[in-house]
Amino acid sequence: MNIDITSTIACAFMAVGVFFAMTSALGMIRFPDVYTRIHAGTKALTGGALMTLVGAALYYPAWQVKAKILLIALFFLITNPISSHAIARACYLHGIKPTVSYKDDYGENLNNNSEETER
């Protein structure tokens, strides 16, 4: 049985990616409010998807496949933080409060900016 070292490393990256994805799913279920769930979905799932994509890129030898995987990874890196920020901002503007106590720096800045634009 001939096991290639590249295939082994690719499988290890994919296994780490699956672990991050499972951790993200667990966080989405267990965390108490929308903001911490967004955090779990963004951080862990992005890491899991990128690790899985790195494993896939190592597994396939064709450069065309690697180029496509690189484009998918760039798409993940660009869109996932932007979309999670947009969702969190929409939740904040609709008045959804976190379940833990916090200092609202964003609300103070938002109120100051709206007062300046009214002048």
Side-chain angles (χ1 to χ4, degrees):
M1 184 170 177
N2 187 7
I3 297 177
D4 187 16
I5 190 72
T6 307
S7 297
T8 305
I9 293 172
C11 288
F13 271 106
M14 289 183 198
V16 170
V18 168
F19 172 74
F20 274 110
M22 294 297 292
T23 305
S24 174
L26 183 66
M28 298 282 282
I29 294 169
R30 297 284 299 166
F31 283 150
D33 63 354
V34 69
Y35 301 105
T36 54
R37 288 178 182 168
I38 289 171
H39 176 77
T42 302
K43 304 296 185 213
L45 193 56
T46 301
L50 290 178
M51 289 292 172
T52 305
L53 288 171
V54 166
L58 289 173
Y59 187 77
Y60 291 106
W63 67 270
Q64 295 93 344
V65 175
K66 292 179 191 237
K68 289 177 186 177
I69 290 173
L70 176 66
L71 290 174
I72 293 169
L74 288 174
F75 182 76
F76 258 107
L77 287 174
I78 292 169
T79 59
N80 204 357
I82 292 171
S83 62
S84 65
H85 174 77
I87 293 169
R89 182 178 169 155
C91 291
Y92 180 83
L93 293 176
H94 283 293
I96 298 173
K97 302 279 187 225
T99 57
V100 295
S101 62
Y102 68 101
K103 183 174 184 293
D104 190 9
D105 291 330
Y106 182 68
E108 294 170 5
N109 291 333
L110 188 65
N111 291 335
N112 290 339
N113 289 338
S114 64
E115 291 171 3
E116 289 176 4
T117 57
E118 291 176 1
R119 291 181 192 172

